Amino acid sequence: MKAALDDATLEKKIARYVPVRIEFDRGRFDDREYEALKYLVAASRVMDELFWKQAFRKGVEYRRRLEDPQTKTERLLAHYLKINYGPYDRLDNMQAFIETGPRPRGATFYPEDLTKEQFEAWIEKHPSDKATFQSWFTVIRRKPDSKELVAIPYSSHYRDELKKAAELLNKAAGCVDNESFAKFLKSRAAAFLSNEYTQSDMDWMDVKDSRIEATIGPYEVYEDHLLNYKAAFESFITLRDAEQSAKLSKVAAYLTSMEKNLPIPDENKNFERGQMSPIVVADLIYSAGDTRAGVQTLAFNLPNDEVVREKKGSKKVMLKNVSQAKFDKILTPIAARVLDEKQLEHVSFDSYFNHTLMHEVSHGLGPGRIMHEGEKVPVNLVLGELYSSIEEAKADVLGLYNTLFLVSEGVLDEKLREGALVTFLAGVFRSVRFGIHEAHGRANLMAFNYMVDKGGYLFDPHEKRYSVDLEKAPAVVRELAREILMLQALGDYPKTKAFIERYGSMSDNMRAVIATLADIPVDIEPLFGVEDEF
Ligand code: ZN
């Protein structure tokens, strides 16, 4: 096996991930929970093996060959292979760091030489194949000795692994006292064997008041760059955070007041929405597979099955200890270089995590269905490809706006007033490092540029540091909230486009500051304490 890069370059790339131990506290679990965890971790490891297989044809083979590294290069390769679950760099456009061909766009989900056009032509010619070919849970193969394509269900293609995972989930269910959680584990086990996942997704939505939760199976389709059809295996084992969940229900009680308080005319407010969709705050105990590769997930929103979403909605799970790790190892050092030193005291994990919560809550506020050409239509249809950036920007600014509101109502702690404004400023510099062509990065950038433009954020050209004008910033936040909400309320495509163009690019000042952050890690590499137990 030959490295495609020299040792120094590999070392630099690996250093972008800072190792962090995700602690496991045995004392937080009783004996039955501990027993259940043992099986859940084992089942997660099966997901991990499956993802190694899905991500790259020779992934498992490469990993084995590097199991006992003899040279420095081999040691570096082994480490980076493990971070990326294969020889392709997930922070650098999937460039190979081991000499091998370019990454097949469809990973291992399709024959490597199959093109999108051939796939679509096949469906055109064989319309009855459409459902199974486009299914999230099949792989596409060529029949031996012919050009004929065939869809193979995961339940057959990965039969041995899925049988094992099903057994483990059933054993875990036997140790779980919470009925709704046990029900999910059993129905997910059944899904592994039947390839029918809808019922188990429904049961996942119905899990109630369980301290331990598991999200395990084939979920996201991002690994399939060819067609975005095929789901990759992953697992999250989590422990619910009672304190934060209580805080969320307190905030949820203010949903209508927050809608009323939006800085737009009453006729543009939206009182039609029902309940806030469920948000769970939890600590991650263990993760495996797709989610463990490359950049670590802070929060996920599942299921993806539209049938389930229509009946049950979706559930957002936010991982507090992962957020804390990223805050400590990445955001704190960034803040120290980016912010005026006098304001560093306002940077806190509480403020950071509060903003991510309020960001999520704020997605549920503001214009939903609007009048457009005489019809009531969802605003996302009217704004098309501009929608995700402007919706994320809305959630960012309303996250600030609503925090200030709830502080003034006495619902949130006073410290969050300055904390929210200053910590958000530092956070912008963390998120734009992942690129500004993605909705979240661009949204952060737009809020930032607007604040600078209107004097809410100040730049010191001599020190090359930013600060918040704490007197002025709340009014600028309000003004920005109003502008973005009205773009949505009126479904004004040209104005939205102009807004994104005006505020969606990086200034030279910002670039200069970002250049000073090159040695700060981009993400974490989690090392799970629970692995010492089982
Ligand atoms: Zn969002």
Side-chain angles (χ1 to χ4, degrees):
M1 195 174 320
K2 205 166 168 297
L5 304 166
D6 59 48
D7 286 0
T9 311
L10 270 171
E11 260 171 340
K12 251 192 210 156
K13 283 173 176 283
I14 293 170
R16 290 180 299 179
Y17 294 93
V18 54
V20 179
R21 201 175 145 85
I22 304 290
E23 295 297 342
F24 176 76
D25 181 356
R26 170 72 178 91
R28 287 168 89 178
F29 305 93
D30 66 28
D31 289 349
R32 294 222 345 129
E33 288 174 327
Y34 189 76
E35 189 75 358
L37 280 177
K38 182 176 86 186
Y39 294 123
L40 291 173
V41 168
S44 302
R45 288 198 169 115
V46 178
M47 298 298 114
D48 212 60
E49 278 309 297
L50 285 170
F51 185 66
W52 272 102
K53 280 193 172 180
Q54 288 185 308
F56 178 59
R57 186 166 50 91
K58 291 190 201 155
V60 176
E61 181 199 321
Y62 280 20
R63 193 186 65 198
R64 273 201 201 116
R65 281 165 62 186
L66 289 167
E67 228 150 55
D68 183 20
Q70 300 298 320
T71 63
K72 182 178 176 188
T73 306
E74 282 186 4
R75 185 172 53 75
L76 293 170
L77 289 179
H79 190 173
Y80 212 39
L81 189 81
K82 209 175 122 214
I83 287 176
N84 288 286
Y85 284 71
Y88 302 109
D89 191 327
R90 291 175 185 273
L91 283 180
D92 289 313
N93 291 318
M94 294 304 235
Q95 293 224 3
F97 54 89
I98 290 173
E99 280 200 357
T100 178
R103 179 184 186 273
R105 291 184 58 76
T108 61
F109 300 115
Y110 309 88
E112 283 186 10
D113 60 346
L114 186 75
T115 65
K116 190 175 168 184
E117 291 69 29
Q118 288 168 341
F119 180 92
E120 278 158 4
W122 178 273
I123 289 179
E124 188 104 330
K125 259 177 90 182
H126 308 84
S128 63
D129 278 351
K130 186 172 170 168
T132 54
F133 270 54
Q134 293 183 347
S135 162
W136 289 328
F137 314 122
T138 61
V139 296
I140 306 299
R141 291 292 180 265
R142 286 211 172 82
K143 284 186 193 161
D145 311 321
S146 82
K147 286 262 158 208
E148 299 264 289
L149 293 173
V150 53
I152 306 167
Y154 284 2
S155 51
S156 339
H157 191 70
Y158 305 116
R159 184 186 301 136
D160 293 347
E161 289 93 343
L162 289 175
K163 260 175 81 177
K164 190 170 154 203
E167 273 166 31
L168 290 163
L169 289 191
N170 280 323
K171 281 187 180 157
C175 311
V176 164
D177 295 325
N178 181 293
E179 266 177 47
S180 63
F181 183 41
K183 187 176 177 204
F184 163 69
L185 292 173
K186 283 186 232 160
S187 74
R188 183 47 48 111
F192 283 155
L193 306 178
S194 69
N195 221 44
E196 297 289 338
Y197 283 87
T198 302
Q199 183 56 47
S200 53
D201 276 343
M202 299 258 195
D203 294 334
W204 185 77
M205 283 304 296
D206 287 340
V207 173
K208 274 225 162 47
D209 302 322
S210 183
R211 274 174 27 95
I212 298 173
E213 287 196 30
T215 306
I216 182 167
Y219 286 104
E220 305 292 356
V221 296
Y222 307 120
E223 194 68 7
D224 169 7
H225 298 187
L226 185 70
L227 289 152
N228 266 207
Y229 284 141
K230 306 303 174 191
F233 287 99
E234 66 183 352
S235 171
F236 301 88
I237 311 297
T238 59
L239 174 67
R240 186 183 282 254
D241 183 315
E243 189 190 320
Q244 291 290 328
S245 303
K247 176 183 166 180
L248 267 171
S249 23
K250 222 163 74 178
V251 169
Y254 276 80
L255 268 190
T256 309
S257 318
M258 285 191 275
E259 185 74 38
K260 264 193 202 140
N261 182 56
L262 294 180
I264 52 174
D266 281 345
E267 68 198 65
N268 298 117
K269 292 176 187 167
N270 176 12
F271 296 103
E272 283 172 19
R273 291 185 213 247
Q275 285 283 306
M276 185 169 95
S277 54
I279 300 177
V280 174
V281 178
D283 278 339
L284 184 64
I285 299 170
Y286 192 63
S287 73
D290 190 13
T291 183
R292 183 112 166 237
V295 171
Q296 299 301 298
T297 308
L298 285 172
F300 54 91
N301 196 350
L302 289 170
N304 292 324
D305 185 341
E306 280 304 330
V307 176
V308 183
R309 286 174 93 107
E310 237 164 61
K311 282 203 180 129
K312 303 256 181 200
S314 65
K315 181 162 74 182
K316 181 111 191 178
V317 180
M318 307 187 66
L319 304 172
K320 188 168 163 234
N321 58 343
V322 178
S323 303
Q324 173 96 54
K326 293 201 193 202
F327 176 85
D328 292 343
K329 302 286 181 184
I330 302 162
L331 191 53
T332 305
I334 287 179
R337 289 197 203 162
V338 165
L339 293 181
D340 184 328
E341 281 170 23
K342 289 193 285 296
Q343 292 196 330
L344 281 176
E345 57 170 321
H346 297 305
V347 176
S348 68
F349 176 67
D350 264 0
S351 302
Y352 172 67
F353 196 68
N354 174 73
H355 186 262
T356 49
L357 281 184
M358 295 306 290
H359 170 112
E360 290 311 325
V361 170
S362 298
H363 272 306
L365 296 168
R369 296 169 70 81
I370 57 170
M371 285 306 287
H372 180 72
E373 294 169 352
E375 257 184 288
K376 251 197 157 174
V377 284
V379 55
N380 59 321
L381 291 188
V382 182
L383 294 180
E385 84 288 356
L386 307 176
Y387 175 74
S388 56
S389 294
I390 209 73
E391 173 63 18
E392 289 308 328
K394 178 197 87 176
D396 273 344
V397 67
L398 287 188
L400 295 173
Y401 182 78
N402 288 321
T403 296
L404 299 178
F405 173 58
L406 293 183
V407 169
S408 71
E409 293 286 299
V411 182
L412 296 179
D413 193 300
E414 280 284 336
K415 278 192 210 130
L416 293 176
R417 194 194 315 266
E418 286 80 20
L421 293 165
V422 177
T423 308
F424 179 76
L425 169 54
V428 171
F429 286 83
R430 186 188 78 85
S431 67
V432 296
R433 299 171 93 200
F434 293 106
I436 56 169
H437 299 289
E438 179 274 336
H440 292 85
R442 168 157 294 191
N444 260 223
L445 182 63
M446 289 194 286
F448 170 83
N449 283 334
Y450 190 96
M451 294 290 283
V452 170
D453 205 41
K454 308 275 179 189
Y457 290 165
L458 307 168
F459 182 65
D460 179 341
H462 184 67
E463 295 285 330
K464 290 209 169 25
R465 285 169 185 267
Y466 284 91
S467 62
V468 180
D469 183 332
L470 290 167
E471 293 293 310
K472 219 169 170 182
V476 182
V477 166
R478 183 189 166 86
E479 186 53 24
L480 175 58
R482 195 192 60 79
E483 270 205 43
I484 290 179
L485 286 165
M486 288 314 290
L487 292 173
Q488 289 197 347
L490 303 177
D492 193 328
Y493 186 97
K495 268 198 186 160
T496 305
K497 194 160 189 224
F499 184 92
I500 293 173
E501 273 164 16
R502 170 148 185 213
Y503 294 108
S505 52
M506 264 190 213
S507 66
D508 292 341
N509 287 344
M510 186 182 213
R511 249 181 249 282
V513 174
I514 289 175
T516 69
L517 307 176
D519 60 320
I520 295 176
V522 174
D523 203 53
I524 57 166
E525 179 191 5
L527 310 169
F528 289 101
V530 75
E531 299 211 79
D532 299 347
E533 306 279 324
F534 312 123

